[in-house]
Amino acid sequence: MPDGALAMPAAALAATLLDRLLGEPRRFHPLIGFGKLAGAVEKRLNRRRLPAGLLAWALVVLPFVALAFALRPFAPFAVDVALLYFALGSRSLAEHAEAVARPLREGRLDEARRRVGWMVSRETAQLDESGVAKAGMESVLENGNDAIFGTLFWFALLGGPGALLFRLANTLDAMWGYRTERFNLFGRPAARLDDALNWLPARLTALTYALLGQTQQAVRCWRTQAGNWESPNAGPVMSAGAGSLGVQLGGAAIYHGQEEIRPPLGCGPAPVAADLDRAIALIRHSLWLWLAVLFVIGFLHA
C-alpha cells in the first residue's frame, strides 16, 4: 500500500475506480440509513428553533465523524478508500443524467420529464425539451460539486473522515435546508454549515469548469452572474459551468405550484439533449483533472 505523501492521491484514485466499477451500493447504502436516522431525529427535536437544529446536526454528524477518526489509525489506507467510495457520487450522477439524456435524444419527452424529476425539486410534467435539458444540466453542474469535488476537497484535507463530514453535512442541507415554516429556523444551522464547508470547494469547482471549456466566457459569467443567484456556492458553480459550455440556464421554473423567475446563468442558446451529454463529459474530465492535481501535489511532497 502507498504511504507518505502519495497515500492520499492513491486512495482517492482507488475509491474513484471502485465507484466507477461498482457504483453506489444497491442495498444498505450508508447515506440512505443516515437519512432515515436524520429524519427520526428531526421529528423528535424539531421545535422550529435554531438551537434545536444545531443540536440535531451535531447528534447525527459528529459521532460518525469521530468514529471515522478513531478507526483510521488502525488501517489508514483502507478506511480512507472505503469512506471516500461511499461518499463519492460520480457514477450515480452520470447514470441519472444519462437516464435523462437518452430518452431526450430519442424523442421520448415524457420519460425524460419523469427521469429529470428524480434529479430536481421543481415540477417537470410540463417541461419542453429545452426545459428538461436545462433542469438536468443545472443538477449535473451543481451536484458535480456536492457529490464529487467538495467531497474530494475535504478528503484531501482530512482523509476519509473529511469526506464523510462533507457528505453528511451536505445531505442534511438537502433534507433540512429549506425556508419553509417547518425548517426555516431548525434547518438554518444545517444550511449555514454546508455553505461554510462548501465555500472554497465550490470556487475550485467553478475554476475547474472554466479551465476545461470556454474559459474567458466562463469567468465572465461567474464574475457577473454568480452574485445574483440565491445560493452563495451554487451561483459560482452553475454560472461558470454554463459559461464554459456556452449555454444559458436559469429562468422560469415552477416550485410547489409557484412560478419563480430565476436569474440567468451562462451565455448562449437554451440547452438541448446534446448539451446534457456535454455536461456529463465536463464532470468526468474535471474529476480526472482533480485526481491528476492530487498526484502532482503528492509527488511534490514525497
Side-chain angles (χ1 to χ4, degrees):
M1 293 182 188
D3 55 11
L6 292 177
M8 181 271 292
L13 176 60
T16 300
L17 293 176
L18 274 178
D19 176 68
R20 190 176 184 86
L21 178 65
L22 303 176
E24 292 186 336
R26 301 301 180 186
R27 300 177 62 187
F28 310 115
H29 194 299
L31 285 179
I32 295 177
F34 174 78
K36 292 179 179 179
L37 172 64
V41 170
E42 184 268 329
K43 288 180 181 178
R44 182 167 294 273
L45 294 184
N46 187 355
R47 299 296 180 268
R48 301 177 185 178
R49 296 177 182 176
L50 282 171
L54 184 59
L55 174 62
W57 189 96
L59 285 175
V60 296
V61 172
L62 296 185
F64 291 110
V65 176
L67 178 61
F69 274 115
L71 292 176
R72 190 170 184 254
F74 296 101
F77 188 80
V79 169
D80 280 351
V81 170
L83 288 175
L84 183 57
Y85 162 64
F86 285 123
L88 274 178
S90 175
R91 176 170 164 175
S92 174
L93 180 60
E95 288 176 343
H96 279 88
E98 177 59 26
V100 176
R102 187 184 306 111
L104 200 58
R105 288 193 301 267
E106 297 170 355
R108 295 184 286 122
L109 185 55
D110 286 342
E111 174 68 8
R113 287 168 174 164
R114 185 174 69 87
R115 291 285 189 165
V116 82
W118 297 358
M119 300 178 68
V120 299
S121 57
R122 77 194 68 171
E123 296 178 17
T124 63
Q126 303 302 318
L127 293 178
D128 59 11
E129 177 187 352
S130 179
V132 171
K134 180 185 295 185
M137 289 187 72
E138 290 176 3
S139 179
V140 166
L141 292 173
E142 183 176 5
N143 283 295
N145 175 68
D146 292 345
I148 303 172
F149 305 115
T151 302
L152 280 175
F153 175 85
W154 284 100
F155 177 81
L157 287 185
L158 299 174
L164 180 66
L165 169 66
F166 178 80
R167 283 295 275 156
L168 296 187
N170 188 251
T171 300
L172 287 186
D173 176 53
M175 294 181 65
W176 299 348
Y178 297 101
R179 294 183 178 179
T180 61
E181 182 180 356
R182 177 175 177 177
F183 289 111
N184 186 41
L185 291 177
F186 178 86
R188 194 173 301 177
R192 295 295 176 264
L193 287 164
D194 180 68
D195 286 345
L197 291 170
N198 227 336
W199 192 90
L200 184 53
R203 282 142 187 87
L204 292 175
T205 301
L207 178 61
T208 307
Y209 290 168
L211 290 174
L212 294 177
Q214 301 180 47
T215 303
Q216 291 186 344
Q217 180 170 275
V219 172
R220 182 173 66 253
C221 293
W222 178 2
R223 188 178 67 250
T224 60
Q225 298 173 345
N228 298 326
W229 202 253
E230 184 177 14
S231 168
N233 296 322
V237 168
M238 293 166 63
S239 59
S244 178
L245 294 168
V247 297
Q248 183 164 306
L249 305 178
I254 299 176
Y255 295 90
H256 310 294
Q258 299 294 320
E259 183 179 65
E260 292 186 17
I261 306 299
R262 303 165 307 152
L265 295 170
C267 180
V272 294
D275 295 313
L276 185 51
D277 293 321
R278 293 169 58 226
I280 299 170
L282 178 62
I283 298 296
R284 184 173 61 252
H285 297 157
S286 298
L287 174 56
W288 291 117
L289 177 58
W290 274 58
L291 291 173
V293 169
L294 292 181
F295 270 99
V296 169
I297 294 172
F299 279 117
L300 291 175
H301 288 84

